[in-house]
Each structure stands twice: as structure tokens, then as C-alpha cells.
Amino acid sequence: MRRTIAAATLALLAGCGGGSAVSDFGTVVKGAKGTTVPVELRPGQRFSLAVADNPSVGDEWKLVAVPDPKVASFISEEHKAEGGGVGAGGTTYFVFNSKRPGTTEIKLYDCWRCGQATTPPDEQSRQQSGEAVFTVSVK
């Protein structure tokens, strides 16, 4: 009996480890370096800010600062690879829930080939790095 329970528990845990923490991205809004994108939502609506990336070439998107917590709350960051090959790009999703009516700005920053640094280490990195801005309005 113990062996059966242990095996079932391990099977459940193994099934949970391979996917993302969030399966519902809600309304997906795409952004890119150098853009400002307006986002209009209802209170209580889940949404994701999506940016194309390719970690194998040095892309690493980060949430610069959390939004006004009265307007939106951050849930998680998820990455979905596209294609199966080594070096294939994908999309990073920053998942949020809208809260109360109001406006807030969310900035994502791609520090290209920065590694553990938070600022570009050279001129090529500075030229390839950039910010995507989302103006979130909850009505």
C-alpha cells in the first residue's frame, strides 16, 4: 500500500515539473523593443505582456518595476520555446491580474548579452538592448 501511494505521489510530482507555473495567460498583448503599447482591461481580468526572445543569442527580458498594485498585480514570468531545435527563439510572457480602475505603466527591459550584469557591457550590447513599455488602463 505504501509503495502504491509513493508511486502515485511521484507520478503526480513528475507531471507537474515539466510545464509552466501558469497555464492561463489571459489576454495576450505583444510588445517589442522601442514600442509603447496601450492595454485596456476590465477589473479582475488576467493578461500577459508578451515579448519575442531568444536566450541562446543573449536576449533576457526582465520586469523593470512592478506596476501600481492597486491597478495590476504580477503573477509570474513564463517562457515558451518555439520549434524544437537548439537555439530556437520563443516568447516570454509576463502574467498579471488587473485590479481596480486606474492607469499604470509596465516596463520590460531586454539587456542583450548582459549575463548577470544589469547594464550592457559594450556598444553592441547597448545597441541591441531596449525597453518595451505597456500603458495599462483598467476601466
Side-chain angles (χ1 to χ4, degrees):
M1 175 89 162
R2 277 190 171 161
R3 206 176 263 183
T4 304
I5 292 171
T9 301
L10 285 174
L12 285 172
L13 290 174
C16 293
S20 68
V22 174
S23 60
D24 176 13
F25 292 158
T27 300
V28 176
V29 180
K30 293 182 181 183
K33 291 178 205 167
T35 63
T36 299
V37 180
V39 183
E40 289 192 13
L41 305 159
R42 301 176 318 277
Q45 187 175 352
R46 180 166 290 189
F47 66 101
S48 296
L49 306 178
V51 284
D53 69 357
N54 189 341
S56 71
V57 299
D59 282 327
E60 184 159 357
W61 285 94
K62 297 290 180 196
L63 179 61
V64 176
V66 294
D68 179 346
K70 295 176 193 161
V71 180
S73 61
F74 177 67
I75 297 173
S76 70
E77 176 183 337
E78 308 293 334
H79 179 77
K80 296 285 185 187
E82 295 171 8
V86 173
T91 303
T92 296
Y93 297 87
F94 293 85
V95 186
F96 299 84
N97 272 334
S98 63
K99 304 292 241 172
R100 297 186 200 136
T103 301
T104 191
E105 189 173 81
I106 300 174
K107 293 181 181 181
L108 305 178
Y109 183 68
D110 180 13
C111 196
W112 192 77
R113 293 194 176 170
C114 293
Q116 297 300 318
T118 56
T119 58
D122 56 36
E123 186 58 32
Q124 183 182 20
S125 180
R126 275 188 285 288
Q127 289 175 357
Q128 296 295 322
S129 296
E131 210 172 51
V133 179
F134 299 85
T135 304
V136 177
S137 297
V138 178
K139 299 181 177 196

